[in-house]
Amino acid sequence: MRLGVLDVGSNTVHFVVVDAHRGGHPTPMNDSKTRLRLIEYLDQDNSITKTGIARLIDAVNEAADLAKATKCKEVMALATSAVRDSANSDEVLAKVAKETGVELRVLSGEDEARMTFLAARRWYGWSAGRILNLDIGGGSLELTSGEDELPEHAFSLQLGAGRLTHDWFKTDPPERKRINQLRDYIDAELEGPAKELRAAGDPDVACATSKTFRMLARLTGAAPSSEGPRVERILTAAGLRQVIAFISRMTAADRAELEGVSADRSYQVVAGALVAEASMRALGLESVKICPWALREGLILQRLDRDVGGDGKGS
């Protein structure tokens, strides 16, 4: 089955085409991204502006055209934090559907966390035992823990790298005072969820998904993406602290020159690193494994499960 996954995130509109079948791993056939930074099109009322909606419609139309060109049997179209948390979410969804014919499914923060956890579970397998997973997106941070296919505990917090950069940093590089204030804010937001996750038990595997974690691991010496997804990549707390001390003094343009940092995310990598550091500290983690599968793979796997009568809930 050729499936398309259209993911409207806070940073990009990402369209992936995969050939997939039950019992096999999804094989990527096409990968297209449109840099959007939808989080930057929020007005003072937390509504997505007309310009932002217009750009989103253009990006969705491009993905729809690509879906036809690649002969996708089905397209799963979803929107996450930036659309989900905007004040005019219903208006945005209606306009996109009217202008493109694509109906975006808004994932709740908990569902986003659950699908990402499912991908991590399938990647590491049952032998991994209890998995604790961290995922930093542009608009939100997801934290999950569990021993089954789906997590026992799932949290989605408005601690995305793009959102925090937009709300907290007005200079480039960010002021040291603002960095310290943001650290305090992140710590406070994490206190309750981290307490519950620690009470659930020590993880057998602590892992992290998302582009932000992959970039941070690369900056600490992990293998480049060209070496493939099966090479073990680890991000340590000590290495992360060194990276933060280094990149927080650089401009976004200078950070974009670093190996492993993409130009479209260089502006937000400092905030992302602060979230990663605080999360690992709050959860007592000295290191995390970088899992190459995340939300999109989780959705694909759930869809394939339904083809053979599964309920998509880990049963």
Side-chain angles (χ1 to χ4, degrees), residues 189-204:
E189 292 295 300
L190 282 168
E191 185 175 359
K195 182 179 180 180
E196 186 170 330
L197 288 166
R198 290 196 307 269
D202 293 335
D204 298 293

Side-chain angles (χ1 to χ4, degrees), residues 102-123:
V102 176
E103 294 190 4
L104 295 174
R105 168 193 172 195
V106 177
L107 283 185
S108 69
E110 183 175 340
D111 282 344
E112 186 177 348
R114 286 159 57 90
M115 289 300 97
T116 303
F117 184 90
L118 172 62
R121 168 60 69 193
R122 293 286 180 90
W123 181 265

Side-chain angles (χ1 to χ4, degrees), residues 132 134 203 205-208 213 233-239 280-281 283-290:
L132 174 62
L134 295 71
V205 171
C207 59
F213 272 109
R233 296 171 176 88
I234 294 176
L235 175 65
T236 66
M280 292 175 68
R281 182 174 62 250
L283 295 168
L285 303 175
E286 288 302 316
S287 66
V288 290
K289 294 183 177 182
I290 305 302

Side-chain angles (χ1 to χ4, degrees), residues 4-10 12 14 16 18 26 76-81 84 105-123 133-138 140 142 144 150 156 208-211 214 291-303:
V5 181
L6 174 59
D7 180 1
V8 176
S10 300
T12 60
H14 194 171
V16 178
V18 300
M76 295 179 287
L78 62 125
T80 54
S81 180
R84 176 175 70 226
R105 168 193 172 195
V106 177
L107 283 185
S108 69
E110 183 175 340
D111 282 344
E112 186 177 348
R114 286 159 57 90
M115 289 300 97
T116 303
F117 184 90
L118 172 62
R121 168 60 69 193
R122 293 286 180 90
W123 181 265
N133 187 66
L134 295 71
D135 185 282
I136 301 172
S140 60
E142 276 70 49
T144 49
L150 295 180
S156 180
T209 48
S210 73
K211 179 67 172 179
R214 292 197 299 272
C291 177
W293 280 4
L295 174 62
R296 285 180 290 275
E297 288 80 9
L299 289 165
I300 292 167
L301 292 166
Q302 183 195 51
R303 171 65 185 82

